[in-house]
Amino acid sequence: MRLLRPAFDALAHVRHARAFHPDGVLADGTLTPVRRGPWPLPDGPVEVRARLSKGVGVPRGFRDVLGLAVRIPLETGPWDLTFSTIGPFGRVVPFPSAGWCEAPFSSLAPYRVDGGLRWLLAQAAGGQPDVDASLRAARRLVRGGGFELVVAEAQATGVPRPIAQLRLHTVCDDAEKPAFDPMLHHPPGVTLYPDWLAKARELAYAGSRAGRS
């Protein structure tokens, strides 16, 4: 585990960008809770900043692991959520998608909250146009009326239950680019599990930040 930070540092330094998800589209949006449950969500709609990204940055027309990061402002500080597209192998394995509205997004690691383990998921709402996995398509989605997603929670078994609606409505390429970090920015009592995996991700994020700078 000690090698994780220098490895991600070196990769980010070589790429002059994030080690993974180097290319993305920054967008402003609105998060509207529909069922808070154990999650410390705001009482009503709140403006958020988000990033749609490509995991590897392959050329247009190829599948890629797509990413979604969202920063939610809370009274306790910012809460960063990060998601990657998944496929048929479960919620913990990132999988390439052919388009932004095709595959569900997952937090990959579960959160320990309210005495149990729950994943956070996000998926394009019904009625979204069929688009490819390019950043150009992501911009079109946001600018063409808004990219709408449903955020849900899921336990190890059972059907995911919606907890919020997310609508990304404005591309803001010229805005300051936040460093989304779910290990650094989270509310009290809501932590990723298991601890060793959270620590590994923390080192990877720290290495990627150091390499970019």
Side-chain angles (χ1 to χ4, degrees):
M1 190 174 292
R2 289 181 301 172
L3 298 178
L4 276 175
R5 175 164 180 163
F8 277 80
D9 185 333
L11 181 55
H13 182 73
V14 168
R15 301 188 74 164
H16 302 289
R18 293 172 171 84
F20 293 108
H21 295 275
D23 302 317
V25 175
L26 205 62
D28 284 337
T30 303
L31 182 81
T32 305
V34 295
R35 191 186 61 83
R36 296 178 62 187
W39 303 97
L41 293 170
D43 292 329
V46 62
E47 290 300 302
V48 299
R49 178 146 290 174
R51 185 175 187 263
L52 300 167
S53 59
K54 294 169 64 70
V56 181
V58 298
R60 183 183 179 189
F62 290 86
R63 287 177 171 264
D64 202 344
V65 175
L66 303 179
L68 167 66
V70 183
R71 173 163 292 180
I72 305 172
L74 301 176
E75 291 183 358
T76 57
W79 183 14
D80 287 351
L81 303 178
T82 57
F83 304 87
S84 294
T85 50
I86 54 174
F89 305 111
R91 300 178 184 128
V92 300
V93 181
F95 197 79
S97 176
W100 294 97
C101 301
E102 177 189 79
F105 295 80
S106 170
S107 60
L108 300 184
Y111 282 87
R112 183 160 39 197
V113 58
D114 197 32
L117 299 180
R118 305 175 189 228
W119 279 261
L120 286 178
L121 309 172
Q123 187 158 16
Q128 297 290 289
D130 185 21
V131 297
D132 59 41
S134 68
L135 294 181
R136 181 182 300 177
R139 285 189 170 88
R140 285 203 309 269
L141 267 176
V142 176
R143 288 172 173 159
F147 183 21
E148 298 182 0
L149 302 103
V150 176
V151 180
E153 65 168 6
Q155 296 178 303
T157 59
V159 177
R161 296 184 297 178
I163 62 171
Q165 295 174 338
L166 174 64
R167 179 175 177 268
L168 305 182
H169 53 66
T170 305
V171 174
C172 47
D173 288 332
D174 296 332
E176 180 180 354
K177 296 176 174 58
F180 295 96
D181 189 333
M183 274 64 66
L184 194 62
H185 302 133
H186 62 85
V190 181
T191 57
L192 289 166
Y193 179 86
D195 294 338
W196 67 264
L197 179 59
K199 183 62 176 178
R201 290 181 68 174
E202 181 180 356
L203 292 171
Y205 273 77
S208 182
R209 287 195 302 269
R212 295 203 306 272
S213 60

